Amino acid sequence: MEDFYKKILENNKQWVEKSLALDPDYFAALAKGQKPPLLWIGCSDSRVPANEIIGAKPGDVFVHRNIANMVIHSDMNMLSVLDYAVNVLHIKHIIVCGHYGCGGVKAAMGNDSLGIIDNWIRHIKNVYRLHQTYLDSIEDEETRFNKFVELNVKEQVFDLAKTSIVQSAWRKGDDLTLHGWAYGLNSGFVTDLEVNISSEKELDEVYRLKF
């Protein structure tokens, strides 16, 4: 562990040197502020690095990550990130990116207790219950797992649209679009799940807020 710790400190020094060699003002420019066009809500999985997946530079992506890329209406961490991204940074796009092979989604398909995370996984189970008839009809377990990953992403996109933060931005006329992706760990490619929402009109009426 000590060797690993020393190595990452050395890696940082090398990265700084390489960055400055390419652009002497690189860090000075970054320090002036950020104006990213994108908020990325992804999984905490170490194999899904937001910037690298889309070839983005530091300053291009505002990021929030949690187990299984969830958008939970009572999660003040997520809501604080969302509010800052929408109302201060004025981002234009929000991508919820799940990934095939997600451990949190897999755990939600079973009944094993994993500790305190059981309480988080319950929210993922709610997505399964919502689509249980369809998912249970899929006999192949791997196919069912992949479809569950996709459905979870789609539901999180809709949950984003239900927030007062996003609906208020739309009501003010802000240009804001929500998207859902699934990332393939074994391929590196993302799949656009074709759930793209840019207006509260795409929500069921019961969720539309009056301001």
mmCIF file of all heavy atoms in Angstrom, residues 68-90:
data_model
loop_
_atom_site.group_PDB
_atom_site.id
_atom_site.type_symbol
_atom_site.label_atom_id
_atom_site.label_comp_id
_atom_site.label_asym_id
_atom_site.label_seq_id
_atom_site.Cartn_x
_atom_site.Cartn_y
_atom_site.Cartn_z
ATOM 1 N N ALA A 68 -24.927 3.133 -8.606
ATOM 2 C CA ALA A 68 -25.964 2.866 -9.616
ATOM 3 C C ALA A 68 -26.611 4.128 -10.173
ATOM 4 O O ALA A 68 -27.758 4.101 -10.607
ATOM 5 C CB ALA A 68 -27.033 1.902 -9.100
ATOM 6 N N ASN A 69 -25.857 5.265 -10.151
ATOM 7 C CA ASN A 69 -26.307 6.509 -10.812
ATOM 8 C C ASN A 69 -27.762 6.869 -10.515
ATOM 9 O O ASN A 69 -28.562 7.108 -11.412
ATOM 10 C CB ASN A 69 -26.079 6.429 -12.335
ATOM 11 C CG ASN A 69 -26.437 5.081 -12.950
ATOM 12 O OD1 ASN A 69 -25.565 4.209 -13.036
ATOM 13 N ND2 ASN A 69 -27.688 4.913 -13.374
ATOM 14 N N MET A 70 -28.080 6.941 -9.230
ATOM 15 C CA MET A 70 -29.458 7.167 -8.826
ATOM 16 C C MET A 70 -29.780 8.652 -8.649
ATOM 17 O O MET A 70 -28.944 9.447 -8.228
ATOM 18 C CB MET A 70 -29.743 6.429 -7.512
ATOM 19 C CG MET A 70 -29.551 4.921 -7.596
ATOM 20 S SD MET A 70 -30.658 4.134 -8.802
ATOM 21 C CE MET A 70 -32.228 4.296 -7.934
ATOM 22 N N VAL A 71 -31.027 9.003 -8.980
ATOM 23 C CA VAL A 71 -31.565 10.341 -8.742
ATOM 24 C C VAL A 71 -32.699 10.180 -7.737
ATOM 25 O O VAL A 71 -33.814 9.803 -8.098
ATOM 26 C CB VAL A 71 -32.075 10.984 -10.045
ATOM 27 C CG1 VAL A 71 -32.751 12.323 -9.758
ATOM 28 C CG2 VAL A 71 -30.936 11.156 -11.042
ATOM 29 N N ILE A 72 -32.385 10.434 -6.481
ATOM 30 C CA ILE A 72 -33.340 10.213 -5.394
ATOM 31 C C ILE A 72 -33.802 11.558 -4.856
ATOM 32 O O ILE A 72 -32.974 12.412 -4.494
ATOM 33 C CB ILE A 72 -32.699 9.353 -4.287
ATOM 34 C CG1 ILE A 72 -32.347 7.964 -4.870
ATOM 35 C CG2 ILE A 72 -33.627 9.222 -3.088
ATOM 36 C CD1 ILE A 72 -31.538 7.094 -3.938
ATOM 37 N N HIS A 73 -35.107 11.757 -4.813
ATOM 38 C CA HIS A 73 -35.659 13.093 -4.549
ATOM 39 C C HIS A 73 -35.310 13.641 -3.174
ATOM 40 O O HIS A 73 -35.413 14.854 -2.941
ATOM 41 C CB HIS A 73 -37.181 13.069 -4.734
ATOM 42 C CG HIS A 73 -37.902 12.317 -3.652
ATOM 43 N ND1 HIS A 73 -38.072 10.958 -3.684
ATOM 44 C CD2 HIS A 73 -38.487 12.745 -2.519
ATOM 45 C CE1 HIS A 73 -38.741 10.566 -2.606
ATOM 46 N NE2 HIS A 73 -39.006 11.626 -1.880
ATOM 47 N N SER A 74 -34.871 12.779 -2.241
ATOM 48 C CA SER A 74 -34.513 13.244 -0.900
ATOM 49 C C SER A 74 -32.999 13.292 -0.677
ATOM 50 O O SER A 74 -32.551 13.555 0.437
ATOM 51 C CB SER A 74 -35.153 12.318 0.151
ATOM 52 O OG SER A 74 -34.740 10.974 -0.058
ATOM 53 N N ASP A 75 -32.221 13.057 -1.708
ATOM 54 C CA ASP A 75 -30.762 13.049 -1.613
ATOM 55 C C ASP A 75 -30.238 14.485 -1.744
ATOM 56 O O ASP A 75 -30.125 15.016 -2.846
ATOM 57 C CB ASP A 75 -30.180 12.153 -2.703
ATOM 58 C CG ASP A 75 -28.659 12.086 -2.681
ATOM 59 O OD1 ASP A 75 -28.042 12.742 -1.831
ATOM 60 O OD2 ASP A 75 -28.090 11.363 -3.527
ATOM 61 N N MET A 76 -29.904 15.101 -0.624
ATOM 62 C CA MET A 76 -29.482 16.501 -0.642
ATOM 63 C C MET A 76 -28.131 16.703 -1.334
ATOM 64 O O MET A 76 -27.850 17.784 -1.855
ATOM 65 C CB MET A 76 -29.415 17.051 0.785
ATOM 66 C CG MET A 76 -30.789 17.247 1.428
ATOM 67 S SD MET A 76 -31.865 18.331 0.428
ATOM 68 C CE MET A 76 -30.940 19.851 0.471
ATOM 69 N N ASN A 77 -27.311 15.680 -1.343
ATOM 70 C CA ASN A 77 -26.045 15.760 -2.067
ATOM 71 C C ASN A 77 -26.319 15.933 -3.557
ATOM 72 O O ASN A 77 -25.841 16.871 -4.199
ATOM 73 C CB ASN A 77 -25.223 14.490 -1.802
ATOM 74 C CG ASN A 77 -23.817 14.570 -2.366
ATOM 75 O OD1 ASN A 77 -23.497 15.429 -3.182
ATOM 76 N ND2 ASN A 77 -22.969 13.653 -1.944
ATOM 77 N N MET A 78 -27.112 15.035 -4.109
ATOM 78 C CA MET A 78 -27.439 15.109 -5.532
ATOM 79 C C MET A 78 -28.178 16.393 -5.865
ATOM 80 O O MET A 78 -27.876 17.069 -6.854
ATOM 81 C CB MET A 78 -28.281 13.888 -5.930
ATOM 82 C CG MET A 78 -28.603 13.769 -7.417
ATOM 83 S SD MET A 78 -30.011 14.784 -7.981
ATOM 84 C CE MET A 78 -31.343 14.131 -6.979
ATOM 85 N N LEU A 79 -29.143 16.783 -5.031
ATOM 86 C CA LEU A 79 -29.927 17.982 -5.298
ATOM 87 C C LEU A 79 -29.055 19.242 -5.243
ATOM 88 O O LEU A 79 -29.264 20.180 -6.015
ATOM 89 C CB LEU A 79 -31.077 18.098 -4.293
ATOM 90 C CG LEU A 79 -32.196 17.072 -4.437
ATOM 91 C CD1 LEU A 79 -33.183 17.202 -3.277
ATOM 92 C CD2 LEU A 79 -32.929 17.234 -5.772
ATOM 93 N N SER A 80 -28.087 19.272 -4.344
ATOM 94 C CA SER A 80 -27.193 20.425 -4.246
ATOM 95 C C SER A 80 -26.326 20.548 -5.492
ATOM 96 O O SER A 80 -26.124 21.653 -6.023
ATOM 97 C CB SER A 80 -26.305 20.305 -2.996
ATOM 98 O OG SER A 80 -27.086 20.315 -1.817
ATOM 99 N N VAL A 81 -25.816 19.417 -5.963
ATOM 100 C CA VAL A 81 -25.029 19.409 -7.202
ATOM 101 C C VAL A 81 -25.897 19.864 -8.372
ATOM 102 O O VAL A 81 -25.485 20.690 -9.195
ATOM 103 C CB VAL A 81 -24.455 18.003 -7.478
ATOM 104 C CG1 VAL A 81 -23.842 17.931 -8.875
ATOM 105 C CG2 VAL A 81 -23.412 17.640 -6.433
ATOM 106 N N LEU A 82 -27.107 19.331 -8.441
ATOM 107 C CA LEU A 82 -28.032 19.674 -9.517
ATOM 108 C C LEU A 82 -28.373 21.163 -9.504
ATOM 109 O O LEU A 82 -28.348 21.827 -10.554
ATOM 110 C CB LEU A 82 -29.306 18.831 -9.384
ATOM 111 C CG LEU A 82 -30.407 19.081 -10.402
ATOM 112 C CD1 LEU A 82 -29.941 18.737 -11.812
ATOM 113 C CD2 LEU A 82 -31.656 18.275 -10.038
ATOM 114 N N ASP A 83 -28.677 21.684 -8.335
ATOM 115 C CA ASP A 83 -29.043 23.093 -8.230
ATOM 116 C C ASP A 83 -27.883 23.996 -8.645
ATOM 117 O O ASP A 83 -28.072 24.979 -9.380
ATOM 118 C CB ASP A 83 -29.468 23.413 -6.796
ATOM 119 C CG ASP A 83 -29.946 24.847 -6.651
ATOM 120 O OD1 ASP A 83 -30.991 25.181 -7.227
ATOM 121 O OD2 ASP A 83 -29.258 25.643 -5.975
ATOM 122 N N TYR A 84 -26.681 23.684 -8.206
ATOM 123 C CA TYR A 84 -25.520 24.480 -8.569
ATOM 124 C C TYR A 84 -25.261 24.410 -10.071
ATOM 125 O O TYR A 84 -24.979 25.425 -10.722
ATOM 126 C CB TYR A 84 -24.289 24.000 -7.797
ATOM 127 C CG TYR A 84 -23.095 24.924 -7.943
ATOM 128 C CD1 TYR A 84 -23.000 26.083 -7.174
ATOM 129 C CD2 TYR A 84 -22.084 24.645 -8.851
ATOM 130 C CE1 TYR A 84 -21.926 26.936 -7.307
ATOM 131 C CE2 TYR A 84 -21.002 25.499 -8.991
ATOM 132 C CZ TYR A 84 -20.919 26.638 -8.224
ATOM 133 O OH TYR A 84 -19.857 27.496 -8.365
ATOM 134 N N ALA A 85 -25.376 23.204 -10.623
ATOM 135 C CA ALA A 85 -25.128 23.025 -12.056
ATOM 136 C C ALA A 85 -26.132 23.806 -12.902
ATOM 137 O O ALA A 85 -25.766 24.459 -13.883
ATOM 138 C CB ALA A 85 -25.187 21.544 -12.420
ATOM 139 N N VAL A 86 -27.394 23.752 -12.517
ATOM 140 C CA VAL A 86 -28.455 24.375 -13.311
ATOM 141 C C VAL A 86 -28.525 25.881 -13.089
ATOM 142 O O VAL A 86 -28.618 26.661 -14.045
ATOM 143 C CB VAL A 86 -29.818 23.717 -12.996
ATOM 144 C CG1 VAL A 86 -30.965 24.486 -13.650
ATOM 145 C CG2 VAL A 86 -29.823 22.260 -13.465
ATOM 146 N N ASN A 87 -28.470 26.309 -11.830
ATOM 147 C CA ASN A 87 -28.747 27.718 -11.521
ATOM 148 C C ASN A 87 -27.522 28.606 -11.386
ATOM 149 O O ASN A 87 -27.643 29.835 -11.432
ATOM 150 C CB ASN A 87 -29.589 27.793 -10.247
ATOM 151 C CG ASN A 87 -30.981 27.224 -10.451
ATOM 152 O OD1 ASN A 87 -31.623 27.500 -11.466
ATOM 153 N ND2 ASN A 87 -31.437 26.409 -9.514
ATOM 154 N N VAL A 88 -26.348 28.019 -11.222
ATOM 155 C CA VAL A 88 -25.128 28.821 -11.123
ATOM 156 C C VAL A 88 -24.257 28.636 -12.365
ATOM 157 O O VAL A 88 -23.840 29.610 -12.993
ATOM 158 C CB VAL A 88 -24.324 28.471 -9.848
ATOM 159 C CG1 VAL A 88 -23.030 29.284 -9.794
ATOM 160 C CG2 VAL A 88 -25.166 28.728 -8.604
ATOM 161 N N LEU A 89 -24.025 27.384 -12.727
ATOM 162 C CA LEU A 89 -23.191 27.113 -13.904
ATOM 163 C C LEU A 89 -23.973 27.206 -15.209
ATOM 164 O O LEU A 89 -23.383 27.332 -16.277
ATOM 165 C CB LEU A 89 -22.550 25.725 -13.789
ATOM 166 C CG LEU A 89 -21.608 25.527 -12.598
ATOM 167 C CD1 LEU A 89 -21.120 24.080 -12.563
ATOM 168 C CD2 LEU A 89 -20.436 26.492 -12.662
ATOM 169 N N HIS A 90 -25.306 27.115 -15.129
ATOM 170 C CA HIS A 90 -26.177 27.195 -16.304
ATOM 171 C C HIS A 90 -25.793 26.174 -17.381
ATOM 172 O O HIS A 90 -25.662 26.502 -18.559
ATOM 173 C CB HIS A 90 -26.161 28.615 -16.886
ATOM 174 C CG HIS A 90 -26.573 29.669 -15.910
ATOM 175 N ND1 HIS A 90 -27.871 29.777 -15.436
ATOM 176 C CD2 HIS A 90 -25.851 30.641 -15.277
ATOM 177 C CE1 HIS A 90 -27.938 30.776 -14.577
ATOM 178 N NE2 HIS A 90 -26.733 31.309 -14.456
#
